């Protein structure tokens, strides 16, 4: 990334600004704005997240907020209540109070003498969720949003559940927020009240996975703040982006298809990263695109920001399987609308272990193929939401395919490009009342190496909808449909397209209560094939650039590991993940912080009662003779009838333990 220090406007920074909200507490904000804004007010931009502006996101914030401020905007980075240096407590995600706070914050920004009354919201992940959810509430000052790595559907397309199956990332994210929601504010900012505020957070703490497991179906808990419930609530322009390696690759296309406002979509090869920090590369000059976006909608600049394709996507070329890529070869392609007139479904029937050609009839009539996958299928699936560190993308699928039903095309005679969401339609029966299917599409090279391109899950009890699951009648046939994650992928001549079906996908998704056998009687694969031809003219994006990042000194190196193991004595298989950022010092404020997280997912042989997941976090802050540390642990296990949660929290001020709490819950499995 190119660091840009010479910007159009000289900026000033206010490190800790208290913003009052309607229930009497104050949120903490950091503000960057043009020095001239006291005399010449400018539009305000808000990023609203729980990840601590003072320290844990300070490096990232220092790249893009001063850059945007230097282009004539007041950037307001706000810690959610109960996080960072904000008052109050944080007990769950996307609650009504959180959104009321955001409306209060926008109203406060619009009323400041340095703001001209117009605001925008931006963010990635939680920040993207927040901006979209608040846009649906129509605050009067909000003129546009720019969002990355988000969803419009909190049940079906977030880290909790996928196709009605419980994701292991549900536990992983719960562990993350258990850690973040129990951290102290900085005494250098809030003063002597820091300990009182910290103890209030510790007293309100609890493992969020408990609440998320009490809503195993799509109910009002998930409908709240899911914009897909009524897309027409969003009335302001939307710039939406994500990456094909991210778990949130689908919502961009849904917004383009369903919103009725000016909108643009951008999907690169990236994992869960902002596009200007995108990994795998190529990263792009996203901040330049943001300046153009905000200039048009907040400053009325006629700069043609809506010209060109509605959707720009990175068409990925074939690559060997790897758990991490520095760069993904490919090219930018543009679509004038979405759904695109350039994409048509190519429906291919399933034959005996083959994907037949369009129009070809399946060989031999009924397939009658059965599969009962071992729990080991899924060990090389990677994470639902990749961060590209530690290496967390899916590896070679051949070992996974050994426990799956496999259907291959013939070797391709010509290049095939797909763009969008493949669909698998099956007629199936099962021998148990609860069963699942994982469907994967892979690019199979001539040497047999199989690179997973996309996948989808379906809890078969959710075949009629996620709000009304019904148990299966063993032996009865059902017509089901799996919509896989959207993707842009090119398959070269000589390669084969593979569809793999399995009845487990652990540990990416929690397995059913019992081992199941599923019979596939018939089926078809619908591929969203992009027509060959010339791409629309597109000059490409600029080089990634941003403001010079703040100085950070690394005091202890970090560690990243992703280990798959299998013990052939007691038959335990395990995935162990280490994410340790080491110890760093933010030089400007002389604050040291350490962050270490481990995850472990294990099972024994094919005992479907044995899967368990554990997340452990240690977070520590220190300055001079002051230090504070939290240690959190969440363990999720199961029986055929229950999910069992045990959680522990320990907090230390210096060498002294100031809090120790334990939780234990047993939650009935409801067709999951």
């Amino acid at each position: 990334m190119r660091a840009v220090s010479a910007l159009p406007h000289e900026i000033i920074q206010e490190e800790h600004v208290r913003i009052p909200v309607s229930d009497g507490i104050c949120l903490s904000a950091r503000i960057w704005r043009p020095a001239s804004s006291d005399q010449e007010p400018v539009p305000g931009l808000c990023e609203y997240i729980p990840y601590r502006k003072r320290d844990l996101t300070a490096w990232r914030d220092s790249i893009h907020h001063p850059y945007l401020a230097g282009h004539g905007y007041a950037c307001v980075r706000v810690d959610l209540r109960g996080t960072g240096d904000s008052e109050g407590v944080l007990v769950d995600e996307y609650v009504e109070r959180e959104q009321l706070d955001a409306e209060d914050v926008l109203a406060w920004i619009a009323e400041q003498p340095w703001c001209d009354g117009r605001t925008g919201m931006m963010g990635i992940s939680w920040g993207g969720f927040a901006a979209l959810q608040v846009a649906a509430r129509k605050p009067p000052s909000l003129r546009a949003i720019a969002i990355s790595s988000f969803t419009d559907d909190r049940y079906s397309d977030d880290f909790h559940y996928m196709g009605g199956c419980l994701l292991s990332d549900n536990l992983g994210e719960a562990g993350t927020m258990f850690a973040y929601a129990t951290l102290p504010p900085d005494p250098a900012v809030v003063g002597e009240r820091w300990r009182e505020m910290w103890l209030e957070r510790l007293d309100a703490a609890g493992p969020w996975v408990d609440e998320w497991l009490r809503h195993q179906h799509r109910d009002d808990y998930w409908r709240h703040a899911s914009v897909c419930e009524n897309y027409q609530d969003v009335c302001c322009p939307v710039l939406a982006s994500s990456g094909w390696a991210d778990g949130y690759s689908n919502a961009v296309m849904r917004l383009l298809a369903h919103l009725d406002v000016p909108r643009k979509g951008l999907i690169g090869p990236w994992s869960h990263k902002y596009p200007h920090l995108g990994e795998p590369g190529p990263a792009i000059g996203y901040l330049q695109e943001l300046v153009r976006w905000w200039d048009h909608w907040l400053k009325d600049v006629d700069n043609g920001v809506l010209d060109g394709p509605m959707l720009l996507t990175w068409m990925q070329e074939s690559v060997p399987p790897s758990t991490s890529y520095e760069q993904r070869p490919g090219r930018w392609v543009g679509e004038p609308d979405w759904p695109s007139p350039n994409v048509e479904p190519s429906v291919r029937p399933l034959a005996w272990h083959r994907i037949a050609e369009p129009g070809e009839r399946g060989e031999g009539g009924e397939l009658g193929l059965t599969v009962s996958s071992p729990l080991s299928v899924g060990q090389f699936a990677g994470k639902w939401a990749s961060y590209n560190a530690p290496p967390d993308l899916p590896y070679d699928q051949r070992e996974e395919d050994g426990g799956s039903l496999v259907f291959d095309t013939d070797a391709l005679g010509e290049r095939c490009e797909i763009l969008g969401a493949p669909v698998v339609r099956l007629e199936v029966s099962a021998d148990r009342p609860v069963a699942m299917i994982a469907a994967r599409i892979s690019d199979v090279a001539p040497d047999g190496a199989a690179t997973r391109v996309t996948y989808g899950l379906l809890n078969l009890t959710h075949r009629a909808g996620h709000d009304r699951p019904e148990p299966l009648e063993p032996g009865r046939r059902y017509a089901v449909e799996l919509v896989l994650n959207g993707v842009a992928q090119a398959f070269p001549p000589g390669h084969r397209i593979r569809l793999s079906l399995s009845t487990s996908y652990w540990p990416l998704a929690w397995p059913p209560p019992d081992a199941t056998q599923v019979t596939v009687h018939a089926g078809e694969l619908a591929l969203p094939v992009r027509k060959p031809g010339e791409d629309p003219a597109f000059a490409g994006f600029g080089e990634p650039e941003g403001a010079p990042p703040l100085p950070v000194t690394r005091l202890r190196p970090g560690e990243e590991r992703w280990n798959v193991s299998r013990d052939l004595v007691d038959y335990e298989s395990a995935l162990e993940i280490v994410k340790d950022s080491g110890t760093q010092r933010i030089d400007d404020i002389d604050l040291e912080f350490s962050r270490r997280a481990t995850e472990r997912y294990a099972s024994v042989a094919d005992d479907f009662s044995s899967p368990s997941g554990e997340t452990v976090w240690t977070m520590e802050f220190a300055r001079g003779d002051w230090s504070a540390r939290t240690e959190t642990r969440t363990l999720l296990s199961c029986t055929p009838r229950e999910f069992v949660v045990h959680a522990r929290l320990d907090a230390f001020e210096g060498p002294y333990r100031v809090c120790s709490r334990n939780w234990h819950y047993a939650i009935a499995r409801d067709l999951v």
Side-chain angles (χ1 to χ4, degrees):
M1 172 179 290
R2 185 165 65 93
V4 180
S5 54
L7 295 167
H9 294 265
E10 179 185 351
I11 65 171
I12 57 175
Q13 179 183 160
E14 299 169 83
E15 186 174 352
H16 174 56
V17 177
R18 288 164 52 88
I19 300 179
V21 294
S22 54
D23 70 346
I25 75 160
C26 287
L27 306 184
S28 178
R30 174 176 282 177
I31 300 175
W32 300 260
R33 58 186 178 88
S36 60
S37 59
D38 286 326
Q39 293 76 39
E40 301 173 357
V42 297
L45 301 177
C46 177
E47 184 176 18
Y48 178 69
I49 52 177
Y51 302 126
R52 300 180 61 94
K53 61 178 175 53
R54 175 80 164 161
D55 36 62
L56 298 184
T57 68
W59 184 87
R60 187 183 76 184
D61 294 346
S62 71
I63 292 172
H64 58 254
H65 286 305
Y67 182 92
L68 294 171
H71 283 85
Y73 294 91
C75 292
V76 184
R77 164 68 177 85
V78 182
D79 283 337
L80 268 63
R81 67 168 57 212
T83 68
D85 299 315
S86 291
E87 298 172 349
V89 296
L90 182 68
V91 295
D92 200 356
E93 58 181 14
Y94 317 130
V95 297
E96 176 70 11
R97 182 69 252 179
E98 174 189 325
Q99 288 145 25
L100 289 172
D101 286 351
E103 292 182 89
D104 291 341
V105 166
L106 290 177
W108 181 90
I109 294 171
E111 292 169 358
Q112 298 311 297
W114 39 256
C115 181
D116 67 5
R118 293 178 286 190
T119 65
M121 286 189 76
M122 60 174 286
I124 184 172
S125 196
W126 194 310
F129 279 66
L132 183 61
Q133 292 164 4
V134 171
R137 301 169 74 95
K138 306 179 183 67
S141 71
L142 187 63
R143 304 298 180 88
I145 62 174
I147 52 180
S148 298
S149 299
F150 64 94
T151 191
D152 55 340
D153 189 336
R154 292 184 55 217
Y155 179 80
S156 298
D157 197 29
D158 197 0
F159 53 71
H160 302 289
Y161 298 89
M162 182 180 187
C165 301
L166 175 66
L167 295 168
S168 63
D169 269 31
N170 186 70
L171 172 64
E173 181 65 14
T176 301
M177 294 315 302
F178 194 19
Y180 273 75
T182 53
L183 297 177
D186 189 338
V189 172
V190 303
E192 288 300 318
R193 291 190 56 232
W194 80 270
R195 187 179 294 105
E196 176 189 343
M197 293 170 65
W198 188 26
L199 292 175
E200 182 184 14
R201 295 176 187 183
L202 296 173
D203 185 59
W208 294 10
V209 69
D210 164 49
E211 183 70 17
W212 298 342
L213 285 172
R214 296 184 189 279
H215 300 276
Q216 296 171 33
H217 308 152
R218 185 183 183 87
D219 58 14
D220 287 343
Y221 175 84
W222 302 112
R223 293 187 184 100
H224 169 73
S226 286
V227 170
C228 64
E229 293 294 313
N230 185 8
Y231 287 105
Q232 302 312 306
D233 286 339
V234 178
C235 296
C236 68
V238 177
L239 175 62
S241 63
S242 191
W244 295 128
D246 194 357
Y248 296 104
S249 61
N250 300 307
V252 171
M253 290 181 285
R254 285 199 301 270
L255 288 193
L256 297 183
H258 295 291
L259 291 183
D260 189 23
V261 296
R263 58 206 184 275
K264 298 279 277 189
L266 171 64
I267 310 176
W270 316 301
S271 59
H272 198 66
K273 306 277 188 179
Y274 267 122
H276 58 294
L277 304 172
E279 297 175 333
I284 65 166
Y286 178 66
L287 295 183
Q288 299 95 298
E289 298 301 313
L290 283 187
V291 170
R292 293 182 66 235
W293 183 256
W294 300 128
D295 281 353
H296 184 79
W297 299 112
L298 301 185
K299 293 183 178 178
D300 303 318
V301 177
D302 185 10
N303 57 12
V305 74
L306 289 177
D307 294 347
M310 176 185 285
L311 173 65
L312 282 166
T313 64
W314 186 252
M315 179 60 67
Q316 301 176 124
E317 295 293 334
S318 177
V319 290
S322 176
T323 57
S324 179
Y325 301 95
E326 289 188 9
Q327 298 281 324
R328 281 297 303 261
R331 74 187 195 282
W332 290 106
V333 300
E335 306 302 330
D337 299 289
W338 193 262
S340 172
N342 299 324
V343 177
E344 293 182 352
S346 174
V347 180
R348 302 168 182 241
L350 300 184
W352 187 261
H353 298 292
R354 289 184 58 243
I355 300 173
E357 292 298 313
E360 181 183 344
R361 307 187 76 180
E363 301 154 351
E366 170 147 342
L367 295 176
L369 295 170
T370 64
V371 59
S372 182
S373 302
L375 280 175
S376 58
V377 173
Q379 285 193 315
F380 301 106
K383 287 283 272 184
W384 178 84
S386 168
Y387 287 80
N388 212 46
D392 55 9
L393 294 173
Y395 192 48
D396 195 323
Q397 297 293 287
R398 281 178 286 187
E399 188 168 342
E400 311 276 55
D401 289 342
S404 309
L405 274 182
V406 174
F407 303 85
D408 283 2
T409 64
D410 296 334
L412 298 176
E414 58 185 21
R415 178 184 176 90
C416 174
E417 294 184 355
I418 63 173
L419 174 57
V423 178
V424 178
R425 300 183 183 94
L426 302 171
E427 183 182 346
V428 298
S429 60
D431 66 345
R432 299 279 185 173
V434 180
M436 67 170 284
I437 290 180
R440 313 185 305 278
I441 291 178
S442 297
D443 170 18
V444 183
D447 65 0
T451 303
R452 198 189 74 191
V453 168
T454 185
Y455 75 103
L457 307 176
L458 179 62
N459 177 343
L460 293 176
T461 70
H462 286 232
R463 62 196 177 275
H466 299 308
D467 56 347
R468 51 184 189 280
E470 297 176 350
L472 300 162
E473 180 183 330
R476 180 180 173 183
R477 297 188 180 193
Y478 298 94
V480 300
E481 180 177 279
L482 288 83
V483 180
L484 279 56
N485 284 337
V487 71
Q489 179 68 42
F491 299 87
H495 286 223
R496 291 172 288 141
I497 300 173
R498 172 172 294 169
L499 171 66
S500 307
L501 304 176
S502 61
T503 56
S504 66
Y505 208 39
W506 169 253
L508 188 142
W510 210 273
D514 301 288
T516 59
Q517 185 178 82
V518 170
T519 301
V520 177
H521 301 280
E524 63 183 26
L525 170 64
L527 292 173
V529 174
R530 189 172 188 268
K531 301 175 189 175
E534 292 187 7
D535 295 324
F538 174 59
F541 295 100
E543 175 188 359
E545 61 182 35
L550 62 79
V552 175
T553 300
R554 183 169 294 279
L555 304 176
R556 177 178 65 85
E559 178 187 12
E560 295 177 347
R561 290 205 314 267
W562 184 285
N563 293 333
V564 174
S565 63
R566 191 172 300 163
D567 186 330
L568 296 183
V569 175
D570 62 10
Y571 302 108
E572 183 185 62
S573 298
L575 167 64
E576 296 177 289
I577 303 168
V578 175
K579 297 178 287 186
D580 185 343
S581 63
T583 301
Q584 302 173 61
R585 183 180 65 235
I586 301 177
D587 298 335
D588 291 352
I589 58 175
D590 191 29
L591 179 70
E592 297 178 12
F593 66 89
S594 304
R595 174 173 47 186
R596 180 180 174 87
T598 63
E599 299 178 40
R600 188 176 193 271
Y601 303 95
S603 60
V604 177
D606 285 330
D607 179 359
F608 278 64
S609 296
S610 68
S612 65
E614 180 184 49
T615 67
V616 179
W617 281 74
T618 301
M619 308 272 274
E620 184 169 10
F621 300 89
R623 178 190 294 110
D625 59 0
W626 170 81
S627 68
R629 182 174 87 252
T630 61
E631 298 174 356
T632 54
R633 174 180 180 264
T634 309
L635 174 66
L636 176 62
S637 58
C638 68
T639 71
R641 294 182 177 84
E642 293 178 322
F643 292 111
V644 181
V645 177
H646 177 73
R648 187 186 70 221
L649 163 65
D650 290 293
F652 301 83
E653 181 182 345
Y656 302 106
R657 190 192 312 265
V658 297
C659 176
S660 183
R661 301 181 62 193
N662 284 270
W663 295 262
H664 184 82
Y665 304 104
I667 302 161
R669 298 177 73 152
D670 192 356
L671 300 180
V672 172

